[in-house]
Amino acid sequence: MNEPVKTTYREAMREALREALRQDDRVFLMGEDVGLYGGCFAVSLGLLEEFGPDRIRDTPLSESAFVGAGIGAAIAGMRPIVEIMTVNFSLLALDQILNNAATLLHMSGGQIGVPLVIRMTTGAGRQLAAQHSHSLEGWYAHIPGLRIVAPATLEDARGMLGTALEDPDPVLIFEHGGLYNTSGELAADAGAVDIARAAVRRPGSHVSVITYGGTLGKALMAAEELSGDGIEAEVIDLRTLRPLDDETIMDSVRRTHRVVLVDEGWRSGSLSAEITARIAEQAFYDLDAPIERACTAEVPIPYAKHLEDAAIPQVENVLAAVRRAVGDGG
């Protein structure tokens, strides 16, 4: 019998890595402390002993260098998985990601593909201060030539990597640091998942709550509380941030006629701003109230716990935004 197994987000990611390494000799993992240390967040723990140093490669502390090496390996026919400790440090490799990985297929007239997967941790809530806590995936979602995914569930943590490795173009996987200890049950035969479509995580009829990654759990908690007040919120997990699944978003808006966007990025120039614009362009006359947003305060993420909590979207912020939307809609 295929009984579900108890696991965590971290263990699901590790099993996805293990399966990829077993199935394809071209796959290897490289990054800071992925080998002897087992990964900065323990995702790759034990893989060095299982697969050896040729396939689990510790790198120097130079994001530009090892992302560039990953690009070269992908061009040469390998299927590298590059781990960057946090999204903040990915900025040291932004030249490689934007000017090389994302553009080479276009600039070579289709001759040079870059089938590269880059994994990195994103998000706040763990008292790691500003240099380790920002949510910059919306920046990368701005760049043509990249696919951006954000697994928020155990199934997606287990399954997105396999699908990403099949993509002929660069894929960036953003893993929220607050999710690694999340536990639950996962089908024993869980595997690759679709990374092209958003998912309705909770159906509802009064308001569409659109989110992704680390704020999905908060949105679902808010929806549960709202249900007790007679407000049924439909919760949409974007899953893929580029390209956005406009169809699922607009279908939900046309059912509920009200929208709340929950985004751990800063409000100005954010992914939530882009989705707001798309809804205005494609479904404006289906709206019965202004679009509401719950975003991170326009400050570097503070270290102090009470200030960090105040800076990032919490359940109460989602509740307040939904109640404004429903109230404004009559």
Side-chain angles (χ1 to χ4, degrees), residues 9 11-17 19-20 149 151-166 173 186-187 189-195 239:
Y9 186 99
E11 291 164 350
M13 290 294 314
R14 185 184 303 135
E15 190 56 33
L17 286 165
E19 180 182 66
V149 299
T153 65
L154 295 181
E155 291 80 8
D156 281 355
R158 175 65 179 83
M160 280 188 169
L161 178 66
T163 316
L165 285 164
E166 297 173 359
I173 302 177
L186 188 63
D189 62 350
V193 298
D194 171 35
I195 58 173
R239 301 176 73 239

Side-chain angles (χ1 to χ4, degrees), residues 293-309:
R293 290 191 282 165
C295 300
T296 288
E298 306 267 318
V299 296
I301 298 296
Y303 170 76
K305 179 63 175 172
H306 67 294
L307 294 177
E308 183 180 42
D309 287 345

Side-chain angles (χ1 to χ4, degrees), residues 32 41 63 84-94 97 119-124 126 128-137 139-140 174 264 266 299-301:
E32 297 165 358
F41 298 93
E63 285 77 8
I84 299 176
M85 187 189 303
T86 77
V87 65
N88 293 72
F89 300 152
S90 74
L91 300 183
L92 296 166
L94 185 56
I97 296 169
R119 299 174 40 246
M120 63 185 93
T121 303
T122 188
R126 296 161 292 139
L128 295 178
Q131 289 184 327
H132 300 79
S133 300
H134 291 142
S135 296
L136 306 181
E137 53 274 5
W139 290 12
Y140 287 99
F174 288 88
E264 206 171 294
W266 294 300
V299 296
I301 298 296

Side-chain angles (χ1 to χ4, degrees), residues 2-324:
N2 184 26
E3 293 291 334
V5 296
K6 187 78 171 178
T7 191
T8 65
Y9 186 99
R10 174 185 289 106
E11 291 164 350
M13 290 294 314
R14 185 184 303 135
E15 190 56 33
L17 286 165
R18 180 176 286 115
E19 180 182 66
L21 288 157
R22 285 175 178 168
Q23 288 186 347
D24 190 340
D25 290 340
R26 299 174 300 169
V27 173
F28 69 96
L29 174 68
M30 65 190 300
E32 297 165 358
D33 290 328
V34 300
L36 287 173
Y37 190 69
C40 297
F41 298 93
V43 172
S44 56
L45 191 66
L47 296 184
L48 174 64
E49 292 77 10
E50 186 172 349
F51 295 99
D54 286 343
R55 303 189 68 197
I56 309 297
R57 292 176 169 260
D58 283 320
T59 66
L61 220 64
S62 176
E63 285 77 8
S64 182
F66 65 74
V67 171
I71 293 170
I75 292 170
M78 301 295 283
R79 290 295 182 270
I81 303 168
V82 174
E83 178 178 313
I84 299 176
M85 187 189 303
T86 77
V87 65
N88 293 72
F89 300 152
S90 74
L91 300 183
L92 296 166
L94 185 56
D95 176 55
Q96 294 284 10
I97 296 169
L98 169 57
N99 288 328
N100 291 320
T103 61
L104 279 169
L105 186 68
H106 170 79
M107 294 180 69
S108 67
Q111 297 178 82
I112 302 175
V114 186
L116 169 70
V117 173
I118 302 176
R119 299 174 40 246
M120 63 185 93
T121 303
T122 188
R126 296 161 292 139
Q127 279 193 273
L128 295 178
Q131 289 184 327
H132 300 79
S133 300
H134 291 142
S135 296
L136 306 181
E137 53 274 5
W139 290 12
Y140 287 99
H142 177 66
I143 301 171
L146 303 177
R147 180 180 291 271
I148 310 300
V149 299
T153 65
L154 295 181
E155 291 80 8
D156 281 355
R158 175 65 179 83
M160 280 188 169
L161 178 66
T163 316
L165 285 164
E166 297 173 359
D167 199 298
D169 297 317
V171 180
L172 275 57
I173 302 177
F174 288 88
E175 305 161 15
H176 195 285
L179 295 177
Y180 283 125
N181 290 329
T182 303
S183 62
E185 291 190 337
L186 188 63
D189 62 350
V193 298
D194 171 35
I195 58 173
R197 301 299 301 270
V200 179
R201 299 298 185 191
R202 179 185 175 119
S205 57
H206 295 134
V207 60
S208 299
V209 179
I210 301 170
T211 189
Y212 67 91
T215 47
L216 175 62
K218 296 175 182 178
L220 289 169
M221 290 172 63
E224 185 67 24
E225 183 170 336
L226 290 162
S227 183
D229 297 334
I231 300 171
E232 296 300 332
E234 179 156 287
V235 179
I236 304 294
D237 176 6
L238 292 171
R239 301 176 73 239
T240 297
L241 311 184
R242 185 182 185 97
L244 285 166
D245 178 9
D246 285 7
E247 182 180 352
T248 297
I249 294 169
M250 303 311 157
D251 283 350
S252 181
V253 173
R254 291 177 181 120
R255 280 194 299 274
T256 69
H257 309 291
R258 297 172 178 86
V259 178
V260 171
L261 293 156
V262 187
D263 181 1
E264 206 171 294
W266 294 300
R267 178 183 296 257
S268 299
S270 63
L271 192 66
S272 68
E274 171 64 23
I275 297 170
T276 297
R278 292 193 187 199
I279 293 170
E281 291 165 349
Q282 300 177 47
F284 178 78
Y285 292 105
D286 292 288
L287 291 171
D288 287 344
I291 296 171
E292 295 285 346
R293 290 191 282 165
C295 300
T296 288
E298 306 267 318
V299 296
I301 298 296
Y303 170 76
K305 179 63 175 172
H306 67 294
L307 294 177
E308 183 180 42
D309 287 345
I312 62 178
Q314 304 292 353
V315 173
E316 54 266 31
N317 303 121
V318 181
L319 291 170
V322 169
R323 289 176 174 137
R324 286 195 302 269

